[in-house]
């Protein structure tokens, strides 16, 4: 019996995924920093808060701002270096994660649905997300940050191939 060695999948996601992930992260960070600033601004009016919190409330948005710089600047670039995908004749192979790594191998013969998703931010960056569903919760796979045209072609190819390779699936 031979075993296959795990190797990095062949393809990276689109380089346009980095600015999209940066913008998405930046929007979330801006919203949370805004909420923290409003809370810090009003902390003095909330008499039920301890005095030391009222006096140091501005440290909350400042501390989160430091973490947010890492989240907005470093994480999308790191994520791009890690996220990979590949479709072979019989399996969809993905690697995701930036702090922890997740490797998934999904047999093409087990595919039930292939979904092509494109949110408003993805449309802006001409990207798409490909979701491959199987009957198994652990067997489903998502490839985020694909070029929109490439994702469309891969989804059509996978749907066709899954139909020709359909087996018992039990």
């Amino acid at each position: 019996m031979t075993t296959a060695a795990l190797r990095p999948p062949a393809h990276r996601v689109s380089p346009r995924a980095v600015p999209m992930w940066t913008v998405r992260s930046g929007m979330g960070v801006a919203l949370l920093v805004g909420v923290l600033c409003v809370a810090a601004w009003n902390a003095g009016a909330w008499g039920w808060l301890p005095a030391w919190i009222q006096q140091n409330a501005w440290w909350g948005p400042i501390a989160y701002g430091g973490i947010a710089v890492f989240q907005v600047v470093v994480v999308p670039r790191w994520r791009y270096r890690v996220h990979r995908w590949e479709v072979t004749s019989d399996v969809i192979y993905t690697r995701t994660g930036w702090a922890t790594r997740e490797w998934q191998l999904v047999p093409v013969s087990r595919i039930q649905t292939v979904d092509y998703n494109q949110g408003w931010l993805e449309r802006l960056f001409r990207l798409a997300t490909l979701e491959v569903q199987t009957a198994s919760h652990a067997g489903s796979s998502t490839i985020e940050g694909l070029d929109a045209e490439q994702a469309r072609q891969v989804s059509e190819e996978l749907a066709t191939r899954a139909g020709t390779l359909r087996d018992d699936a039990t």
Side-chain angles (χ1 to χ4, degrees):
M1 176 180 210
T2 60
T3 59
L6 273 181
R7 60 171 175 72
H11 308 291
R12 284 191 173 176
V13 296
S14 172
R16 292 189 308 274
V18 174
M20 184 198 63
W21 290 330
T22 302
V23 168
R24 183 187 296 162
S25 235
M27 291 182 334
V29 162
L31 180 65
L32 189 52
V33 166
V35 168
L36 290 173
C37 285
V38 167
W41 182 266
N42 291 314
W46 297 332
W48 53 271
L49 285 175
W52 67 272
I53 290 179
Q54 291 178 12
Q55 295 165 354
N56 297 305
W58 282 103
W59 283 107
I62 291 170
Y64 181 71
I67 295 168
V69 168
F70 177 79
Q71 183 178 347
V72 171
V73 175
V74 175
V75 170
R77 284 149 188 81
W78 191 340
R79 190 174 174 193
Y80 175 73
R81 293 176 56 91
V82 172
H83 279 55
R84 292 180 182 267
W85 66 279
E86 183 176 354
V87 176
T88 65
S89 61
D90 58 346
V91 72
I92 300 162
Y93 190 34
T94 61
R95 182 180 75 180
T96 59
W98 64 274
T100 59
R101 302 283 161 84
E102 181 178 322
W103 304 71
Q104 285 188 321
L105 288 88
V106 177
V108 173
S109 62
R110 300 291 183 177
I111 294 175
Q112 289 188 327
T113 61
V114 179
D115 297 325
Y116 172 97
N117 297 319
Q118 194 178 37
W120 70 271
L121 193 56
E122 288 175 313
R123 278 195 315 273
L124 185 66
F125 286 94
R126 299 184 327 270
L127 298 170
T129 298
L130 195 64
E131 294 181 34
V132 178
Q133 302 291 324
T134 65
S136 167
H137 169 69
S140 300
S141 186
T142 301
I143 308 169
E144 183 183 357
L146 289 176
D147 176 77
E149 182 58 27
Q150 184 179 36
R152 186 191 60 73
Q153 289 172 352
V154 170
S155 68
E156 290 173 358
E157 175 188 325
L158 283 173
T160 302
R161 196 179 317 162
T164 61
L165 293 176
R166 181 77 54 205
D167 66 358
D168 181 29
T170 57

